[in-house]
Structure formats: structure tokens, C-alpha cells
């Protein structure tokens, strides 16, 4: 028996008025898998990701998380979101709260844990991203890379079944990108299931279990990184990657 997918998208559509940004996406993400989504701007990558926890509402199709169709009107989306971590492009930290409180807030507010229990769990999450020594700092005292690692700690502290990453390094200075990608690799090695929209081609090639190339609101191609990067089957994939190779050298 193959395992059930943690995330399954079935015929997912998203339109803004007459503009169709997702045109029938079918995708499965299995436990422990890191799936990287690449593609040009405007191809629907972020919209797809945001439909996975209903930050955006799809206009058709299903989003099934761990066996529950979360697009059903009777679903308790706040309960579902406790199982889906999200790491954004901008760090979305509360500037007036310490790093520890930023990470522990949902444990107290959503899960009703005591402050001491929340602090213990938050500190363990900060330990995992290498920032336990910054627990008492405020976001403004941290580099962009450190702030994003706090964002990751905040996502993992709820022990989610799945973490969604939306261009997690695009707002960072080049020298801090590596520290965030390193933490993501460590999570993958620890068995975390991750769906990552990224423009870091080297990272997708080296770290992903599977790479998905999107363009024009559809999945054009998907497969092992070595296949998608080394021997792309579709002209659109080849054209996109050749632009990247051109830019990289």
C-alpha cells in the first residue's frame, strides 16, 4: 500500500473575474516529501499555494489535506490551519513582541497552552532553526535571514502535517539566503512534508524530492529534479530553465 497523500489538489481552478490563474491543477504531495514549484512570475504558483490553506478561495476543484476536503463549506478552517504551517515571502512577525512570543503566540491563543508550556515549545522550535539565543530579541534587531528563520520556527511549533513556503528567500539579502535554505533542508531530513514555491533553482535541484514546473496556470511538467533540470521534456520548461542558466552565469 502506498501512503495516502498529505495534500491532494483535484481539478483546482482559481479565477479573478475573467482572469483564470489556475486551470485545473492536479497534484499530490506525500508524507515526508519536499516538492518545489518553479515557474515564471504570474504562472499561478503563489495562488495555488494560498488555496492550499484557503488564504485564497478556489473557484473550483478540491483541496484535500490529510483526508479532509477543506473546500467544503462546513469545514472548520481554523482547526485545519493548525495542521498547515505557512512561511511567507515577507516575514509577518509582530514587531512589538519578542522572538519567543512571536513563536509561542499561536500555542497560547489557538491551542490554549499555558505561557510556560508555550515558552518551552517555542524555545525548542527556535533551537531547531538555530536561534534559541535570540529568544528575547525583537524582530527589528534581527537580520532578514534570522527573521525568516523565526517565521519557520513559528510554522513548526504547531507540529503541522504540512508546511507551505511562498518564495521564502525572495526578500532576503543573498548572504542570508543560505541560512534559511539550510534550515529547510534540515526539516526535510527530519521528515517534514513541504510544498515550496521558489526561484532558487540550485536549491530546488539539490534538495527537492520532486520539482513541478508551472506556467499559465497549469502544471507543464513534473518529476525528479535530475529529470526536470537535466532533461526537460517540454519546450516551455526548456525555455524557462535556459533563461535561468543564462542569468546564473
Amino acid at each position: 500500500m502506498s501512503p495516502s497523500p498529505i495534500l491532494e489538489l483535484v481539478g483546482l481552478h482559481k479565477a479573478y473575474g475573467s482572469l483564470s490563474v489556475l486551470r485545473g491543477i492536479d497534484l499530490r504531495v506525500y508524507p515526508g516529501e519536499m516538492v518545489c514549484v518553479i515557474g515564471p512570475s504570474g504562472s499561478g504558483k503563489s495562488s495555488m499555494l494560498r488555496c492550499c490553506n484557503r488564504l485564497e478561495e478556489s473557484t473550483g476543484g478540491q483541496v484535500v489535506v490529510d483526508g479532509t476536503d477543506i473546500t467544503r463549506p462546513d469545514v472548520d478552517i481554523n482547526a485545519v490551519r493548525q495542521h498547515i504551517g505557512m512561511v511567507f515571502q515577507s516575514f509577518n512577525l509582530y514587531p512589538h513582541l519578542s522572538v519567543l512570543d512571536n513563536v509561542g503566540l499561536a500555542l497560547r491563543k489557538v491551542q490554549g497552552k499555558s505561557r510556560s508550556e508555550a515558552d518551552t515549545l517555542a524555545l525548542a522550535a527556535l533551537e531547531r532553526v538555530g536561534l534559541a539565543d535570540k529568544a528575547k530579541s525583537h524582530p527589528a534587531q534581527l537580520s532578514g535571514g534570522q527573521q525568516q528563520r523565526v517565521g519557520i520556527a513559528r510554522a513548526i511549533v504547531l507540529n503541522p502535517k504540512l508546511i507551505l513556503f511562498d518564495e521564502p528567500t525572495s526578500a532576503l539579502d543573498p548572504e542570508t539566503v543560505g541560512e534559511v535554505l539550510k534550515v529547510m533542508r534540515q526539516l526535510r531530513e527530519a521528515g517534514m512534508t513541504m510544498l515550496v514555491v521558489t526561484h532558487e533553482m540550485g536549491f530546488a535541484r539539490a534538495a527537492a524530492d520532486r520539482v513541478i514546473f508551472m506556467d499559465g496556470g497549469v502544471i507543464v511538467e513534473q518529476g525528479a529534479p535530475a529529470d526536470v533540470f537535466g532533461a526537460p521534456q517540454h519546450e516551455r520548461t526548456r525555455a524557462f530553465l535556459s533563461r535561468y542558466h543564462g542569468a546564473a552565469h
Side-chain angles (χ1 to χ4, degrees):
M1 270 294 280
S2 60
S4 302
I6 292 272
L7 173 70
E8 186 170 15
L9 306 180
V10 185
L12 191 69
H13 284 262
K14 172 70 183 172
Y16 301 100
S18 60
L19 176 68
S20 190
V21 291
L22 296 176
R23 305 161 184 260
I25 298 283
D26 294 312
L27 174 64
R28 289 176 170 174
V29 180
Y30 290 94
E33 212 182 10
M34 181 196 271
V35 177
C36 283
V37 185
I38 62 171
S41 296
S43 56
K45 307 183 299 292
S46 289
S47 293
M48 177 185 78
L49 204 67
R50 294 168 75 87
C51 285
C52 292
N53 62 358
R54 284 184 48 191
L55 281 177
E56 288 188 17
E57 297 291 348
S58 55
T59 39
Q62 289 175 299
V63 179
V64 182
V65 177
D66 202 27
T68 300
D69 179 0
I70 69 167
T71 53
R72 288 203 329 260
D74 61 339
V75 89
D76 178 352
I77 191 60
N78 291 325
V80 168
R81 282 190 186 135
Q82 290 185 51
H83 303 295
I84 308 173
M86 179 101 189
V87 177
F88 299 90
Q89 193 168 337
S90 53
F91 318 122
N92 292 13
L93 301 177
Y94 294 106
H96 61 289
L97 294 181
S98 71
V99 164
L100 190 69
D101 284 345
N102 264 287
V103 175
L105 188 66
L107 292 169
R108 302 206 320 267
K109 294 276 189 260
V110 180
Q111 297 191 343
K113 295 195 188 308
S114 69
R115 176 172 275 281
S116 66
E117 194 181 356
D119 284 356
T120 301
L121 291 165
L123 202 56
L126 286 168
E127 187 78 52
R128 284 184 73 180
V129 300
L131 287 175
D133 59 326
K134 299 288 187 190
K136 293 191 164 51
S137 303
H138 279 69
Q141 298 167 288
L142 305 182
S143 71
Q146 289 171 328
Q147 289 187 56
Q148 190 58 293
R149 281 150 63 197
V150 174
I152 294 173
R154 187 180 52 188
I156 61 177
V157 78
L158 292 169
N159 202 16
K161 299 197 163 92
L162 166 73
I163 302 185
L164 309 171
F165 291 84
D166 189 7
E167 296 274 12
T169 57
S170 63
L172 300 180
D173 300 323
E175 57 269 23
T176 61
V177 167
E179 67 191 56
V180 172
L181 298 180
K182 180 181 166 198
V183 167
M184 292 169 65
R185 283 180 181 226
Q186 289 165 344
L187 289 179
R188 176 192 171 227
E189 284 158 20
M192 179 60 75
T193 309
M194 298 150 78
L195 181 60
V196 183
V197 170
T198 185
H199 62 278
E200 297 286 341
M201 297 297 142
F203 174 73
R205 185 169 195 157
D209 295 290
R210 193 152 43 103
V211 173
I212 298 217
F213 172 65
M214 279 180 72
D215 193 10
V218 298
I219 292 175
V220 176
E221 184 162 354
Q222 63 175 306
D227 297 335
V228 173
F229 286 101
Q233 300 298 302
H234 289 265
E235 181 51 46
R236 279 149 82 183
T237 320
R238 285 196 288 271
F240 173 75
L241 291 173
S242 70
R243 283 206 301 279
Y244 256 95
H245 290 315
H249 296 304

